[in-house]
Amino acid sequence: MREQLSFRIFRWVVLIPLGLFTLMPLYVMVTSALKPLQDVQGAFEWWPSNLTLRPFVDIWSTVPLAQYFVNSLIVTTAATVFSVIIAVFASYAISRYRFRGRGAFSGVVLSTQMFPGVLFLLPLFLVFVNIDKTLGFTFLYQTRLGLIVTYLTFTLPFSIWMLASYLNGIPRDLDESAQVDGASALGALFRIILPSARPGIIAVAVYAFMTAWGEILFASQLTNSDSRTLSIGLQNYATETNVYWNQVMAAALVVSVPIVAGFLILQRYLVAGLTAGAVK
């Protein structure tokens, strides 16, 4: 069907302002990252008169950005891997087996998404501090391990729920056929189900990674200078006497590269994983 002229005009009238609204902050961020500090602090210019790459060099020495980057990468990757592994087994059990408490477990998993994360901050803090006090050494509080456990508390429930919905769309005949051929339940899971559920698993991994990578609330309270992540480390560009706005913008662009690159590479799997459960 041909698009009506009025609809095409309406579409462009809507899309152009939305596109400008979306790209304008990114343009300001990029141009500010390419300016000397005095130009950023001065009158705003749509096109910078003095372009420089110096802020992209200085961001690594002004604050220990490399350490923050490593901390974020370790914490986020570990949280993503554990979230995917646990979600695979939990969602497979929910999707394929009928057991006592199945409905209650599914309801509890889904209900955790109803509460704001700040409600879990104080309980987690008390749990970590008391565990460390009992052990006699720092094990969870202000460590990367503690932050990984914290991120699992809110990435894992949604991952289980989303992956279980995806596995419900995979016919059970595949499991039965594999078991007729002599495969065990785990054999059917690894040989048949997981290859078929690849888009859903990738969608869960992308969700967990993006959520943990940009998290601020828990990272600001449960880390110290050694375990601090990027989302908190960027605040150190603001000192008592000055704010290095050009370096803040440059660092923000640098730390966004893994998320943007991963999203562009895995976009088709992410869309398929998020929509397959509803379509099937």
Side-chain angles (χ1 to χ4, degrees):
M1 295 176 59
R2 284 188 174 183
E3 292 182 346
Q4 295 182 359
L5 180 60
S6 59
F7 178 76
R8 295 176 59 184
I9 295 175
F10 174 78
R11 184 179 63 180
W12 286 110
V13 168
V14 173
L15 290 180
I16 291 176
L18 285 177
L20 293 175
F21 180 79
T22 303
L23 295 176
M24 191 65 65
L26 181 61
Y27 174 78
V28 174
M29 182 184 295
V30 173
T31 55
S32 299
L34 295 174
K35 293 179 183 179
L37 182 59
Q38 59 270 19
D39 290 355
V40 179
Q41 294 176 334
F44 178 75
E45 298 177 351
W46 286 104
W47 183 253
S49 55
N50 299 317
L51 295 176
T52 178
L53 295 176
R54 188 67 190 177
F56 289 91
V57 178
D58 293 338
I59 58 175
W60 305 99
S61 57
T62 303
V63 302
L65 188 64
Q67 177 185 344
Y68 301 153
F69 193 94
V70 171
N71 289 339
S72 288
L73 193 61
I74 293 175
V75 170
T76 304
T77 302
T80 300
V81 170
F82 284 118
S83 182
V84 170
I85 292 175
I86 298 174
V88 164
F89 289 102
S91 60
Y92 181 70
I94 294 173
S95 174
R96 291 301 192 263
Y97 295 98
R98 299 294 179 266
F99 53 89
R100 180 176 298 179
R102 174 179 176 272
F105 176 77
S106 302
V108 170
V109 167
L110 185 59
S111 65
T112 58
Q113 304 301 304
M114 300 169 54
F115 302 100
V118 68
L119 292 180
F120 301 100
L121 180 58
L122 182 58
L124 284 172
F125 170 79
L126 294 176
V127 169
F128 289 173
V129 169
N130 283 284
I131 289 178
D132 290 350
K133 186 183 297 186
T134 302
L135 295 176
F137 60 92
T138 301
F139 181 66
L140 292 175
Y141 180 57
Q142 294 185 336
T143 65
R144 289 184 294 203
L145 176 60
L147 204 57
I148 292 171
V149 174
T150 301
Y151 288 165
L152 283 176
T153 61
F154 55 85
T155 60
L156 187 56
F158 185 79
S159 299
I160 294 174
W161 177 77
M162 185 168 64
L163 194 55
S165 299
Y166 189 90
L167 293 183
N168 287 335
I170 299 178
R172 287 183 170 81
D173 296 341
L174 297 177
D175 306 54
E176 297 174 357
S177 299
Q179 292 175 5
V180 168
D181 292 338
S184 61
L186 289 178
L189 171 63
F190 287 107
R191 297 177 184 178
I192 305 298
I193 304 302
L194 291 187
S196 302
R198 183 183 304 172
I201 295 174
I202 293 178
V204 167
V206 171
Y207 161 78
F209 190 92
M210 294 178 64
T211 303
W213 185 263
E215 199 279 325
I216 294 178
L217 175 63
F218 293 96
S220 64
Q221 302 299 322
L222 301 179
T223 60
N224 56 14
S225 58
D226 294 328
S227 58
R228 190 166 295 154
T229 58
L230 282 171
S231 56
I232 304 304
L234 293 180
Q235 300 177 6
N236 291 342
Y237 288 104
T239 64
E240 295 181 357
T241 58
N242 203 358
V243 179
Y244 299 95
W245 288 111
N246 55 344
Q247 295 187 37
V248 172
M249 299 301 177
L253 290 173
V254 171
V255 302
S256 300
V257 169
I259 293 295
V260 175
F263 181 81
L264 292 177
I265 294 173
L266 303 174
Q267 181 180 10
R268 62 190 182 96
Y269 295 105
L270 179 62
V271 174
L274 292 175
T275 59
V279 174
K280 291 182 180 180

